[in-house]
Amino acid sequence: MNAERFRIADLVLRGSQDQRVAVAVASPALVLSAFASELYLKCLILIQSARLEHGHDLHPLFKKLESQSQRRVEQKWNEWVSSPERKRIYEALKKISGESIPTDLDWSLRNGGTGFVDMRYLHEVETGPRFLIGDLPQILREETLQHRPEWTSLGHGPMTPVPGFENPMPNNMP
């Protein structure tokens, strides 16, 4: 559920139709995406091996998945990066940077797998991270549901308010 909430928050932020808002929240949204991926990977590892994992780097977490899960996620990733929209994005990045960026999941995880930490501290580094895995949480969600199909509708029904917080914004607040 935690992974799902961070995935949804990321989608809400990146889904803004106002270009100014979209630009302003791009980095925070990608932090949410990176964290959602981390939580989905840890959930899958727990389901598959009954082990609790720690750390934020997505690459070693991904390598701890069962090989069948890794193959399914890679297959979905390959479908995703071969879409016309993604191809346009990679071409635009090539024009900006002057170099081709690999599209394989292994490269993306090795170069962007520490995005949860890196993007929170962008102000401390000279060059930004190569976090091109912003839509990975959706693929990991699908893989999680392969193992737990009963979780499909969790968290998407009406929310029960916490007693005393039924109205989070009092009428006298601006």
Side-chain angles (χ1 to χ4, degrees):
M1 286 309 304
N2 216 11
E4 183 66 356
R5 289 182 178 126
F6 280 97
R7 183 186 72 86
I8 291 169
D10 166 43
L11 293 175
V12 168
L13 285 176
R14 286 196 287 150
S16 175
Q17 299 303 310
D18 183 332
Q19 192 65 25
R20 293 170 302 160
V21 171
V23 169
V25 301
S27 291
L30 290 175
V31 170
L32 296 174
S33 171
F35 194 45
S37 289
E38 175 187 326
L39 294 171
Y40 274 119
L41 286 167
K42 288 176 178 179
C43 179
L44 282 163
I45 294 165
L46 183 63
I47 290 169
Q48 294 174 359
S49 68
R51 284 189 334 265
L52 289 173
E53 290 297 328
H54 300 280
H56 300 297
D57 192 339
L58 302 180
H59 188 256
L61 290 171
F62 178 76
K63 293 300 184 183
K64 292 179 180 180
L65 295 180
E66 292 175 348
S67 59
Q68 188 175 16
S69 283
Q70 288 182 30
R71 282 192 300 276
R72 279 194 300 262
V73 169
E74 284 181 286
Q75 179 181 359
K76 293 271 188 190
W77 174 264
N78 291 336
E79 291 169 13
W80 180 74
V81 294
S82 64
S83 72
E85 179 185 355
R86 293 310 300 175
K87 285 182 179 182
R88 281 193 306 273
I89 290 170
Y90 279 93
E91 280 302 314
L93 291 171
K94 181 180 179 180
K95 286 179 184 176
I96 292 168
S97 70
E99 60 183 77
S100 291
I101 297 173
T103 60
D104 62 282
L105 182 58
D106 187 67
W107 184 92
S108 299
L109 287 171
R110 280 187 287 110
N111 287 274
T114 57
F116 178 67
V117 174
D118 296 344
M119 288 183 295
R120 289 182 350 213
Y121 299 101
L122 279 176
H123 58 281
E124 296 179 2
V125 295
E126 290 183 29
T127 59
R130 289 188 166 187
F131 188 78
L132 299 172
I133 49 180
D135 292 315
L136 184 60
Q138 179 60 37
I139 295 170
L140 295 173
R141 178 184 191 272
E142 292 171 19
E143 180 61 23
T144 302
L145 294 176
Q146 288 281 323
H147 297 272
R148 295 291 190 272
E150 67 273 17
W151 291 356
T152 302
S153 62
L154 285 179
H156 299 291
M159 299 291 277
T160 305
V162 175
F165 293 92
E166 292 85 358
N167 184 9
M169 294 296 288
N171 293 334
N172 61 353
M173 293 291 290

